[in-house]
Amino acid sequence: MLHKQEAGRQETVKIGMQGVHVYYGAYHALKGVEVAVPEKQVMAWIGPSGCGKSTCLKTINRMNDLVAGTRVTGTVTLDGEDVYDPRTDVTVLRRRAGMVFQKANPFPMSVYENVAYGPKIHGVRRRSQLDGVVEQSLRAAALWEEVKGRLKKPALGLSGGQQQRLCIARALAVQPEVLLMDEPTSALDPVSTLKIEELMHTLRKQYTVILVTHNLQQALRVADQTVFFLSGEVVESGSTKRLFESPRDDRTKRYLSGRFG
Amino acid sequence: MADKTLYQKKIRLGDGLLKGSIYAAAALTFTVLLGLMGYLLVRGLPHISWGFLSHTYSETDPQQNGILPMLLNTLYVVGITVLIAGPVGIASAVYLTQYAKQGRFVAIVRFAAEVLSGIPSILFGLFGYTVFCQLLRLGTSLLAGCLTMALCVLPTLIRTTEEALLSVPRLYTQGAMALGAGKLRVILGILLPNAMPGILTALVLTMGRIVGESAALLFTAGMSYGMPRGVFSHAMESGRTLTLHLYQTAREAATPDAMNVAFGTAAVLLILIFLLNRIAWLLGKVLKKGES
């Protein structure tokens, strides 16, 4: 094991979900999900395709708003504040809860401009300040050494793994508290995957990370907590070690042993 | 089924016939198209000279057989029409793809645009004549012509711009949204810059369409071949474009030289359209290269 669960670590709930239902038109995608995401830990969300884990992730930063015909009921909270409250400023919400997508999606701009894009939106204008944020974010995403000589080069010229780390740097540049990672390594080779997994270990010191993954080994390697989703419901959740070693629900047991999914 | 060796090539008559007719059809098409262009150029090019391009024209004085006013009128109509139709078309396409609720209304607008881009331009001419020339009292003027032309090109312009906007990967806009960027910022900072090659290509092709249009301008912009006297005052004056000049000189044959003038004008038009298509192609190529 790459890390141990610290004994007696204070657990504050960063993100809370109570009775969350999501409908896409007539399709009932999430059916009363209850999750408490502890602060500054990595929590993995696992489950077969179509189980609702990505949908659930997108309710947190309200990316579901962009899909026409989506309806969300129940409560999703960030630090106890309701994300769906009419007073919520989505721009602030998305700054505090950054997202990394399944497919690396750097903008067709330079490496530098990609990382600087977020801070610029949120009002950082001074060049010296931007320079600092860009370097800091690229360092935090373990990419600085590889790209420091080509900051002005197009981001699309980077390798797939580098592009994904650039997207992480881009998300970190707006100083989020939460990182929502939607299968961030599913399109990457094993070496790049390993780099990003190592990165998650460092990130958990400062950020609350939710990692949606298909890869059970990955969940086992990097996650403190794991939640198992099935057919739009949470079947079981707990510390990764406990869930993998002694699953309480029969469906969890069967999924973990590769019987379906 | 009893073939024991690979080396007995059979001649299949059906295949040969089919292949033959495909080649023949292609050859016929290319011959006609190249023949047409060749004929126009052979008859027209000898009459293109610096004098032809830089002199004025008169129906009564055969010595004045230049096309400068018509060339200027054409450029004028292209410029003003693009200035009117460009911003309106791009804004409409942004509205249709980004803001409008995708439902019956948008479907009707799209259908209307499709129908309008297919109807004969002389109908736009008739409409422009009654609305701009008569109702709005613009008379037969280049401004009325440009407004009519703008209506004429808008449907196609909106549709091609929409396509350019829709071809921008959703991943880009999602990425920006996830960082907290508002809708307008995403449209201005991500969507439009990425759709720009497509939009510019659409604009240049629109220019080509305007250069080649005659029917919509016939009733609205008029037939005056006088030399433009000022940029702004010219808008309210009647003026004929190259296509109308071609039409008029070939039809009336007012001077002995008229057919030569017509063919010379045709060659100039052909070269203009060719250049615009070339520019559209180059723009698309250069801008796409800049991305990666």
Side-chain angles (χ1 to χ4, degrees):
Chain A
M1 292 295 284
L2 288 160
H3 67 88
K4 292 185 195 85
Q5 186 83 30
E6 287 97 329
R9 181 165 162 164
Q10 196 67 39
E11 281 194 5
T12 339
V13 173
K14 186 72 183 174
I15 294 164
M17 311 186 98
Q18 286 101 35
V20 176
H21 291 260
V22 175
Y23 305 84
Y24 293 128
Y27 179 66
H28 197 173
L30 280 190
K31 302 161 187 166
V33 166
E34 312 267 336
V35 180
V37 184
E39 191 173 28
K40 293 186 185 173
Q41 292 193 23
V42 177
M43 179 181 252
W45 290 1
I46 59 170
S49 302
C51 67
K53 52 197 192 301
S54 285
T55 297
C56 197
L57 197 69
K58 287 180 199 146
T59 60
I60 298 170
N61 63 347
R62 289 184 49 177
M63 287 297 277
N64 275 333
D65 290 9
L66 306 178
V67 185
T70 307
R71 200 158 57 83
V72 179
T73 63
T75 337
V76 181
T77 56
L78 176 64
D79 285 340
E81 288 180 328
D82 188 355
V83 161
Y84 286 89
D85 191 285
R87 288 169 297 177
T88 295
D89 183 341
V90 179
T91 296
V92 175
L93 169 68
R94 291 183 185 153
R95 186 192 66 67
R96 288 175 57 188
M99 187 164 222
V100 177
F101 296 81
Q102 179 170 4
K103 192 170 180 302
N105 60 346
F107 303 130
M109 313 169 177
S110 69
V111 171
Y112 183 97
E113 288 302 325
N114 262 281
V115 185
Y117 184 83
K120 279 185 185 167
I121 298 176
H122 297 284
V124 181
R125 284 271 167 267
R126 288 222 335 265
R127 189 75 194 181
S128 56
Q129 211 175 340
L130 282 173
D131 287 350
V133 175
V134 169
E135 177 171 349
Q136 215 179 335
S137 311
L138 285 168
R139 278 189 194 283
L143 190 60
W144 175 252
E145 293 302 322
E146 290 161 61
V147 300
K148 64 183 175 189
R150 48 198 286 203
L151 292 176
K152 300 284 167 225
K153 294 275 164 59
L156 295 177
L158 300 178
S159 76
Q162 289 173 326
Q163 287 190 15
Q164 192 60 296
R165 276 179 285 146
L166 179 64
C167 291
I168 295 174
R170 187 176 70 184
L172 296 179
V174 295
Q175 295 165 339
E177 297 148 34
V178 179
L179 270 187
L180 310 171
M181 306 182 101
D182 191 359
E183 301 189 35
T185 62
S186 66
L188 299 181
D189 61 279
V191 176
S192 305
T193 299
L194 198 67
K195 279 202 176 128
I196 287 180
E197 287 183 7
E198 277 166 9
L199 185 56
M200 283 187 240
H201 281 295
T202 14
L203 291 177
R204 63 194 273 283
K205 293 185 189 122
Q206 214 182 330
Y207 308 94
T208 304
V209 180
I210 302 178
L211 168 69
V212 165
T213 182
H214 261 120
N215 183 335
L216 296 180
Q217 291 307 314
Q218 181 168 69
L220 199 53
R221 283 193 295 265
V222 300
D224 305 287
Q225 304 278 324
T226 298
V227 180
F228 173 51
F229 282 77
L230 186 63
S231 313
E233 288 172 76
V234 170
V235 172
E236 188 170 350
S237 59
S239 89
T240 304
K241 197 169 173 329
R242 203 279 298 149
L243 191 116
F244 275 78
E245 280 173 8
S246 48
R248 288 179 188 137
D249 194 288
D250 189 49
R251 290 168 295 177
T252 317
K253 200 179 292 174
R254 290 197 301 143
Y255 180 70
L256 293 178
S257 59
R259 226 77 55 88
F260 68 95
Chain B
M1 291 302 139
D3 297 326
K4 283 281 182 258
T5 169
L6 291 173
Y7 304 133
Q8 281 178 344
K9 248 190 187 166
K10 292 188 191 67
I11 291 152
R12 295 176 176 83
L13 193 63
D15 290 5
L17 271 176
L18 198 59
K19 198 168 155 188
S21 27
I22 289 170
Y23 273 74
L28 184 71
T29 311
F30 295 142
T31 317
V32 170
L33 286 179
L34 290 177
L36 178 90
M37 284 213 284
Y39 180 70
L40 287 176
L41 290 175
V42 166
R43 294 240 10 211
L45 281 179
H47 298 284
I48 299 180
S49 62
W50 178 242
F52 183 64
L53 295 174
S54 65
H55 278 80
T56 52
Y57 179 83
S58 167
E59 275 176 2
T60 48
D61 176 7
Q63 297 308 114
Q64 289 189 54
N65 61 358
I67 57 163
L68 182 62
M70 281 52 88
L71 199 56
L72 292 176
N73 285 337
T74 304
L75 296 178
Y76 196 87
V77 171
V78 168
I80 303 289
T81 306
V82 166
L83 277 183
I84 299 170
V88 175
I90 293 170
S92 309
V94 167
Y95 171 78
L96 285 175
T97 55
Q98 305 302 314
Y99 287 100
K101 206 160 169 250
Q102 302 298 315
R104 184 173 289 178
F105 172 69
V106 171
I108 290 173
V109 171
R110 290 224 170 91
F111 179 69
E114 210 156 313
V115 171
L116 282 179
S117 61
I119 70 169
S121 54
I122 189 86
L123 300 187
F124 283 97
L126 187 62
F127 177 81
Y129 178 69
T130 51
V131 174
F132 298 127
C133 300
Q134 295 190 318
L135 193 66
L136 296 180
R137 298 176 191 284
L138 293 176
T140 9
S141 63
L142 284 169
L143 183 60
C146 292
L147 287 168
T148 310
M149 257 340 286
L151 288 183
C152 206
V153 298
L154 260 178
T156 319
L157 190 58
I158 291 174
R159 284 183 55 81
T160 38
T161 307
E162 265 192 278
E163 267 160 43
L165 291 173
L166 291 173
S167 73
V168 175
R170 274 179 59 87
L171 282 171
Y172 295 165
T173 46
Q174 271 182 353
M177 292 268 190
L179 288 168
K183 191 154 195 166
L184 199 59
R185 194 185 281 274
V186 175
I187 290 170
L188 293 178
I190 301 285
L191 198 63
L192 282 176
N194 280 295
M196 217 20 104
I199 296 175
L200 285 179
T201 309
L203 281 176
V204 176
L205 289 175
T206 300
M207 289 182 188
R209 167 106 193 269
I210 302 168
V211 168
E213 184 54 56
S214 54
L217 295 170
L218 188 60
F219 299 147
T220 51
M223 278 293 179
S224 160
Y225 50 79
M227 190 64 189
R229 284 185 298 260
V231 174
F232 292 106
S233 61
H234 197 45
M236 295 313 292
E237 291 170 343
S238 155
R240 69 166 77 155
T241 58
L242 286 170
T243 46
L244 289 178
H245 189 54
L246 166 53
Y247 169 71
Q248 192 69 2
T249 47
R251 192 180 64 135
E252 301 267 301
T255 61
D257 204 22
M259 277 322 263
N260 290 336
V261 173
F263 273 105
T265 309
V268 171
L269 276 167
L270 212 57
I271 293 168
L272 268 180
I273 306 255
F274 173 77
L275 285 178
L276 283 171
N277 278 296
R278 220 32 221 177
I279 292 172
W281 181 79
L282 277 174
L283 264 179
K285 216 174 106 161
V286 169
L287 288 169
K288 286 228 168 72
K289 201 186 259 171
E291 274 174 26
S292 53

